[in-house]
Amino acid sequence: MSPIFLKIPESSPLISQADIKNWISKSNLSKAQPARALASKLSGETMELQHWSHWQHPLVFNEDERSGVLCYGCWEPVFGPSYSCNRCKDYLHHKSCAEVPLGLHHPSHLNHPLILFDQCTYLDNNREEYDKFSKCDICGEKSVEYSYCCYRCNFNIHIRCSSLSLTIQTEVHDHQLTRSIWKLMKFTCDFCGKEGNLPYCCAQCDFAIHSRCAACPRILKVYRHNHPLHLTPSLEVHQSDSPICLLCVRKVDTLCLYYCSRCDFAAHLYCAMLPGKREFINLQELKEEQSTESKSEDPELHQSFDSEICKVIKSTVGEDGTEIATEIKHFSHVHDLKLTDEIPNNTKCNGCVQSILSPFYSCTPCNFFLHKSCSKLPKIKRHTQDEHPLTLNYQQASFSCIACHQRCNGLKYNCQLCEYNYNVQCILLSDTLTHACHEHRLYLSMTNYLQKCSICSSEKNRVFRCAICDFVLDFKCATLPLITWYNQHEHPFTLYYTPEDDSGEYFCDVCEEERDPKQWFYYCAECSFPAHRDCILGKNPNV
C-alpha cells in the first residue's frame, strides 16, 4: 500500500501549520488526489516556488546545485536540482524535498492523516515539543529533518522514511531485501543488534535489517579523520575494551562499526553517516596506501605571517638569533602596532577579548591591544568543527559563536558557506583537550542531540567528553580564562575548580550571595577573595 497524498487548497495565499492542521481534519480524504506541496510559477525564465517554511520570499529553482550544502528538508548534501532563497542566501532544498506534499495518509498510521512540519521550529523555542516529535516511529532515530506527524497520536515519521522502497539492494548484504508490508513490528536487526519497528528482510537468509543500516556503505570518509573508515565487526577492532566512537565519544555497543585499523579510529554507524560528519568524496580516487597529510599540518592553512593579515614594519634580532617583529601593520587596526611588555591594569586584547599578557602589540593613542599570538593567527584555517575552511575576520560589533553560544567581538573565524561564526578561543582548542579540571583526557564530541555540561549544566551539541567517566565540558567552560582581572581589584584572579576550604559555607565577596561549592569560581589568593565567575567576568565576557 502506498501513501495517499492530500491535495492542499490553492486559493489560500498563506497557509500556516495551524491552517493545514485544521484543513486536514475537515477534508474528505476519500477524494484526496496526488498533489505538490505548493504551487510553483514561472517568472520570466526563472522558476519559483512559494514554500511553506519560508513565506517571506519565493524559493528560486537551480538546475544544477554543486555546493554540497545541507538540504533544509532532509539534511543531506545538495547536488543537482534544487530550490533556495536568493535574498536570504538560505533555505536550500533538494527539488524533491521542496515539493513534498503538505499532508498524506500513510499506511503505517491509517487512523489519521499526517501533516508536514519542520523540527527546527521547536529546536530552539520548545524543547518539550522537539523531544516529543523529533523521534521517528519507523527508524527510531531523532532528526531535525522534515517529518510527517499525527498530533492526536504523537506519531511521527521522517520524510525519507515515509517513502521507503518495497525492495532495495544494499552493500551490507548479497541478496535483494524486501519490505512486504508497512505494519510496524518489533524485530532485532541482524546488522547492528538493535531493535527496530519496520525491517527489510532477505527470504533466502532469514536476515532482517533497519532501513538506515541498509543504507550503510562498506567504506566512507568522515571529516574528523584523514583515512577512509571500513565497516568492521566490533569484535575485530584493536581496542581492548568496548570501542569508543571518536565522533560522539561514547562506547560502541553495536555488532558493527566504522573503523580505521591504521589509526585505531572507531565510529558508530550512525555517527559516521550524519551529513555534517560524513565527507562526500570519490573514494575510488582516494588511495589508502598513500597517507593523507593531516589537515592541521597543511602549510597553506597555517601561515605565521600572512601579508594580508599582518605585515612586519620593523624587526630586530633576539639573543638567540631569531627575528622579532617590533612593529607591525595588522588588518584589525588602522594604525601600526608596536611590541611592548608594559601591561596596563585590567586591559583586554582586542583580538581574543581575554586579559592582556606579555608580549603584545599596542596602539597607545587608540588604546588598542593585540596579543603577539593573536597577530600570528592564519588567514585560512581548518578545524574539525566545520567541514569547510574558515577565514579570519575582525568584527567590532558583537556576533554569536556557534561553538560556545556566547556573544563575542574582535577576531573571529567565519565559514562563508555555512555562515557560521567562531570565537577564536573556540577554534584554538584542539579536538583533544587536557584540562586541569579533570584527570582524564577530553575529546571533542559533536552530536545531533544535546549533552549536559558537568560544570554549568547547560546543554549543547558540541562539547568535550571523557571516554572513561562521561565527564562533559562545554565550550563556554573550556574557554574560561585561567587568570583574569577584575576592574575593582588590584590583584589577578585565578580560576578554581574546588572549594578553597572545608567550611561548608561559600559566599561571593563581590555580590555577597551564596556560592554553589560544585561550581567553578575565581579566587584572589592575595586577599582570600572568592567570587562567582559571572561576577568577575560579567554576563558577556567576550564583548
Side-chain angles (χ1 to χ4, degrees):
M1 180 177 179
S2 300
I4 300 175
F5 300 119
L6 305 180
K7 185 174 181 180
I8 303 302
E10 297 179 358
S11 58
S12 303
L14 294 176
I15 305 175
S16 67
Q17 289 282 6
D19 294 332
I20 299 168
K21 181 179 177 181
N22 292 333
W23 177 82
I24 289 178
S25 65
K26 299 176 183 178
S27 295
N28 184 356
L29 298 181
S30 63
K31 300 180 180 180
Q33 301 175 8
R36 284 183 301 177
L38 291 169
S40 60
K41 63 180 181 178
L42 287 175
S43 177
E45 295 182 355
T46 304
M47 187 164 70
E48 296 180 346
L49 181 147
Q50 192 68 54
H51 197 264
W52 61 274
S53 72
H54 187 62
W55 286 107
Q56 295 88 338
H57 314 118
L59 303 186
V60 179
F61 179 70
N62 178 12
E63 188 172 353
D64 190 19
E65 174 68 38
R66 306 310 302 166
S67 68
V69 173
L70 300 186
C71 170
Y72 200 77
C74 69
W75 291 86
E76 292 285 347
V78 179
F79 296 101
S82 67
Y83 284 96
S84 63
C85 178
N86 288 349
R87 298 189 192 181
C88 301
K89 306 297 180 184
D90 200 355
Y91 296 96
L92 180 66
H93 291 73
H94 293 104
K95 181 177 183 295
S96 58
C97 291
E99 296 179 347
V100 294
L102 290 178
L104 80 165
H105 226 325
H106 199 271
S108 64
H109 188 73
L110 295 173
N111 296 333
H112 311 112
L114 308 178
I115 64 172
L116 187 66
F117 77 108
D118 181 5
Q119 297 283 6
C120 294
T121 304
Y122 301 119
L123 186 57
D124 296 324
N125 302 324
N126 193 325
R127 291 297 312 173
E128 183 177 347
E129 287 293 312
Y130 173 74
D131 291 335
K132 182 178 178 182
F133 289 109
S134 61
K135 187 175 181 179
C136 174
D137 287 282
I138 299 299
C139 68
E141 296 295 321
K142 287 188 176 182
S143 172
V144 293
E145 67 183 277
Y146 289 165
S147 296
Y148 288 103
C149 79
C150 173
Y151 285 94
R152 306 179 197 179
C153 306
N154 295 342
F155 178 86
N156 182 59
I157 181 172
H158 296 150
I159 57 170
R160 286 180 291 177
C161 295
S162 69
S163 57
L164 293 174
S165 302
L166 291 177
T167 59
I168 59 171
Q169 294 287 348
T170 175
E171 292 186 30
V172 301
H173 193 71
D174 295 333
H175 306 131
Q176 180 175 271
L177 302 177
T178 303
R179 178 188 52 76
S180 57
I181 58 174
W182 270 103
K183 185 177 181 180
L184 301 183
M185 56 183 179
K186 292 289 184 182
F187 77 103
T188 300
C189 177
D190 291 316
F191 182 72
C192 71
K194 297 290 186 179
E195 287 190 349
N197 294 324
L198 189 69
Y200 275 99
C201 301
C202 176
Q204 302 179 51
C205 306
D206 194 24
F207 177 86
I209 189 173
H210 293 114
S211 59
R212 289 190 66 181
C213 289
C216 291
R218 291 187 182 276
I219 304 174
L220 59 67
K221 179 80 167 56
V222 295
Y223 290 102
R224 295 278 294 275
H225 193 65
N226 291 324
H227 307 133
L229 305 180
H230 295 255
L231 270 178
T232 308
S234 299
L235 296 177
E236 294 182 12
V237 302
H238 296 169
Q239 300 179 21
S240 56
D241 298 325
S242 297
I244 299 298
C245 171
L246 292 179
L247 298 179
C248 71
V249 198
R250 292 180 182 272
K251 289 185 177 181
V252 179
D253 56 355
T254 52
L255 299 178
C256 292
L257 48 74
Y258 280 106
Y259 188 62
C260 173
S261 59
R262 298 166 64 178
C263 308
D264 202 23
F265 185 99
H268 284 116
L269 299 173
Y270 294 164
C271 284
M273 290 280 286
L274 285 173
K277 296 175 182 178
R278 184 178 177 184
E279 188 172 2
F280 289 85
I281 61 175
N282 188 341
L283 292 173
Q284 297 298 327
E285 298 176 357
L286 186 62
K287 297 181 180 179
E288 293 188 38
E289 60 269 17
Q290 297 179 351
S291 60
T292 305
E293 183 179 16
S294 172
K295 292 177 181 179
S296 63
E297 296 173 359
D298 188 339
E300 294 183 1
L301 300 181
H302 287 266
Q303 306 170 55
S304 294
F305 273 77
D306 188 303
S307 58
E308 296 183 24
I309 297 296
C310 184
K311 183 178 180 180
V312 178
I313 305 300
K314 294 180 182 179
S315 63
T316 186
V317 178
E319 295 180 358
D320 57 356
T322 58
E323 183 179 0
I324 301 173
T326 57
E327 189 172 343
I328 62 171
K329 178 68 178 73
H330 197 265
F331 84 107
S332 63
H333 193 65
V334 294
H335 304 132
D336 293 348
L337 305 176
K338 296 181 178 180
L339 188 65
T340 180
D341 289 327
E342 298 178 6
I343 302 179
N345 288 335
N346 306 326
T347 300
K348 289 186 176 182
C349 170
N350 289 79
C352 64
V353 200
Q354 301 293 310
S355 295
I356 203 73
L357 300 171
S358 179
F360 62 95
Y361 294 99
S362 69
C363 176
T364 305
C366 300
N367 205 31
F368 184 93
F369 305 95
L370 190 69
H371 285 130
K372 188 176 180 180
S373 58
C374 290
S375 73
K376 293 184 176 183
L377 292 173
K379 177 183 177 182
I380 307 295
K381 186 176 178 64
R382 283 277 192 183
H383 197 278
T384 49
Q385 289 193 68
D386 202 287
E387 58 194 272
H388 308 116
L390 304 176
T391 305
L392 184 66
N393 291 288
Y394 181 78
Q395 184 171 319
Q396 287 184 316
S398 66
F399 61 88
S400 178
C401 173
I402 191 72
C404 65
H405 295 269
Q406 296 185 94
R407 300 303 302 176
C408 310
N409 63 9
L411 292 174
K412 68 175 183 179
Y413 277 101
N414 170 259
C415 177
Q416 297 177 349
L417 287 175
C418 303
E419 298 185 353
Y420 291 155
N421 292 317
Y422 297 87
N423 174 15
V424 291
Q425 291 297 316
C426 293
I427 289 298
L428 291 176
L429 293 176
S430 67
D431 54 1
T432 302
L433 179 66
T434 300
H435 200 284
C437 70
H438 192 67
E439 58 182 323
H440 307 132
R441 185 171 295 180
L442 306 175
Y443 299 90
L444 177 61
S445 171
M446 295 173 59
T447 62
N448 60 345
Y449 53 86
L450 297 176
Q451 304 180 71
K452 182 179 288 188
C453 176
S454 302
I455 303 304
C456 65
S457 296
S458 65
E459 296 183 333
K460 300 291 187 296
N461 298 91
R462 305 172 188 229
V463 298
F464 289 92
R465 190 175 194 90
C466 176
I468 298 174
C469 59
D470 286 338
F471 177 85
V472 174
L473 191 66
D474 68 4
F475 272 83
K476 181 179 179 181
C477 292
T479 55
L480 285 172
L482 301 180
I483 299 176
T484 190
W485 293 84
Y486 180 57
N487 58 8
Q488 298 181 18
H489 200 81
E490 59 179 330
H491 306 127
F493 281 81
T494 302
L495 184 63
Y496 270 56
Y497 314 115
T498 56
E500 74 280 7
D501 56 43
D502 56 357
S503 63
E505 297 182 353
Y506 305 98
F507 292 90
C508 171
D509 286 352
V510 174
C511 68
E512 299 183 351
E513 297 289 335
E514 190 173 0
R515 288 187 298 108
D516 184 347
K518 297 180 181 179
Q519 295 284 324
W520 294 355
F521 64 101
Y522 280 100
Y523 186 66
C524 173
E526 293 269 353
C527 308
S528 298
F529 192 105
H532 290 120
R533 292 183 299 170
D534 288 348
C535 288
I536 296 297
L537 299 176
K539 292 185 178 180
N540 295 299
N542 296 321
V543 177

